[in-house]
Amino acid sequence: MKEIEKLQKIISEHDKIVFFGGAGVSTESGIPDFRSVDGLYHQQWDYPPETILSHSFFMRKPEEFYRFYKAKMLCEGAKPNEAHKKLAEMEAAGKLRAVITQNIDNLHQMAGSKKVYELHGSVYRNYCMKCHSFYDFAYMKAAEGVPKCEKCGGMIKPDVVLYEEGLDDTVIRGAVRAIEEAQVLIIGGTSLAVYPAASLIDSFKGEYLVVINRDPTPRDRMADLVINDSIGKVFSRITL
């Protein structure tokens, strides 16, 4: 496959690579996507997922929020796939400078990636809204109803960016700086439909823009290389 050979050559010849990924990176680990035909947005709940996963809904109906959140967002037992593992290898080999992810599942870190910018937060970090005490994934998964702080009784909120909430400025600045300094930007497993996250790639001024996604994206026409395939399958064929 000529596209894989071209990607191999790009990776072999550069050491300032940045990866920007979305839900498609994690679907191969069994974590449901939001916008695919069988994703969360097409499953039936009392309210649309966009409504449930909004800040105002969380504050107004925390019981309903957590019923959905625990059932659909806390994917226990998910393991890194070939894409996560190869990206961690690329970083260890001094080729990859950063992973920028829209996912909240911690799989990049589980695979061994160190420099990860989580644009939308992580289900592995949770804080009491009153005293800011930290709670982990296991505590949230095991909690019945609305998770409460053991120290002050306050409601615990996931460190996840809900609809109506802004992205973290520090994370955004770090991600933009990484993209600006990259020779190669690999975009993978994302439809590039979620803003403002998708707009960050406008900062890229490097040599090669690569898009790896099963379906076409709005940025394909600007890319130097487009591969319409499973990202795990593509990365499993790359050697370092």
Side-chain angles (χ1 to χ4, degrees):
M1 186 180 178
K2 284 183 186 167
E3 289 93 346
I4 299 286
E5 289 171 15
K6 188 172 180 184
L7 178 62
Q8 178 71 65
K9 188 170 188 293
I10 290 170
I11 290 173
S12 297
E13 294 176 355
H14 295 85
D15 60 4
K16 288 184 181 174
I17 302 170
V18 168
F19 179 78
F20 181 98
V25 180
S26 294
T27 50
E28 291 168 50
S29 294
I31 292 179
D33 168 19
F34 277 97
R35 287 170 177 78
S36 65
V37 173
D38 55 351
L40 294 182
Y41 278 32
H42 295 266
Q43 297 178 18
Q44 293 303 307
W45 284 76
D46 295 341
Y47 302 88
E50 299 100 320
T51 301
I52 297 173
L53 296 174
S54 67
H55 178 83
S56 54
F57 189 92
F58 171 77
M59 298 303 292
R60 199 171 66 249
K61 293 181 178 288
E63 297 86 357
E64 189 70 13
F65 171 89
Y66 271 114
R67 193 171 72 83
F68 178 89
Y69 179 81
K70 284 187 232 178
K72 294 295 181 183
M73 310 300 284
L74 298 184
C75 300
E76 202 167 27
K79 298 281 193 298
N81 60 50
E82 291 302 321
H84 299 105
K85 292 173 187 173
K86 188 65 68 177
L87 288 164
E89 286 176 32
M90 286 168 63
E91 183 183 34
K95 292 202 158 288
L96 188 81
R97 296 300 174 94
V99 168
I100 301 164
T101 181
Q102 299 173 76
N103 299 332
I104 57 175
D105 49 43
N106 204 49
L107 291 179
H108 286 292
Q109 290 93 329
M110 288 182 194
S113 290
K114 302 284 189 285
K115 194 73 171 178
V116 182
Y117 293 102
E118 295 173 309
L119 299 178
H120 297 144
S122 171
V123 296
Y124 280 75
R125 296 188 302 270
N126 307 275
Y127 297 94
C128 171
M129 295 178 75
K130 276 189 186 174
C131 72
H132 307 294
S133 293
F134 171 86
Y135 289 90
D136 62 12
F137 180 98
Y139 185 89
M140 301 298 280
K141 189 75 176 174
E144 292 186 17
V146 178
K148 294 290 174 66
C149 177
E150 291 180 335
K151 296 173 184 173
C152 75
M155 183 163 69
I156 301 170
K157 183 182 183 297
D159 188 12
V160 169
V161 179
L162 301 177
Y163 289 101
E164 304 163 355
E165 295 179 345
L167 304 188
D168 183 278
D169 285 340
T170 305
V171 175
I172 292 295
R173 281 196 299 273
V176 167
R177 190 166 58 248
I179 291 171
E180 285 174 344
E181 294 172 357
Q183 299 165 319
V184 179
L185 178 61
I186 302 175
I187 298 169
T190 173
S191 60
L192 294 172
V194 179
Y195 283 82
S199 63
L200 299 188
I201 62 175
D202 293 334
S203 306
F204 180 62
K205 305 177 184 71
E207 297 170 40
Y208 290 100
L209 177 64
V210 178
V211 178
I212 307 168
N213 198 50
R214 286 177 190 256
D215 304 310
T217 79
R219 300 296 174 124
D220 289 3
R221 58 190 173 78
M222 300 161 57
D224 300 286
L225 175 61
V226 176
I227 304 177
N228 292 129
D229 205 345
S230 146
I231 188 156
K233 192 159 80 176
V234 171
F235 273 124
S236 69
R237 297 176 64 182
I238 298 299
T239 56
L240 299 177

